[in-house]
Amino acid sequence: MVELVGKVVEVEIGDMSYTGKLIEIGEKEVHLESESGWIVIPVENIIFIREKKG
């Protein structure tokens, strides 16, 4: 997933999904920069991370 750092991604956590620029993938958290600000998502909640198409 390191290859996605710096790209716009979609992060699915089950009942919600987030879109933003992937800034950092840590052992416990993923950090996104979105239009509305910073988003920090616990790794344990993530179902998938993929590059946003289009």
Side-chain angles (χ1 to χ4, degrees):
M1 279 200 259
V2 175
E3 68 276 1
L4 295 175
V5 172
K7 296 182 180 180
V8 176
V9 297
E10 296 175 320
V11 179
E12 177 75 36
I13 64 165
D15 59 343
M16 292 189 67
S17 64
Y18 299 96
T19 301
K21 183 177 180 182
L22 182 59
I23 302 299
E24 182 180 351
I25 299 174
E27 289 184 29
K28 296 184 179 184
E29 299 174 332
V30 168
H31 297 256
L32 299 178
E33 182 179 11
S34 72
E35 291 180 8
S36 60
W38 289 92
I39 301 170
V40 179
I41 305 167
V43 169
E44 63 192 26
N45 295 346
I46 295 174
I47 295 172
F48 67 78
I49 299 175
R50 65 178 172 211
E51 187 172 359
K52 183 170 171 77
K53 302 293 182 190

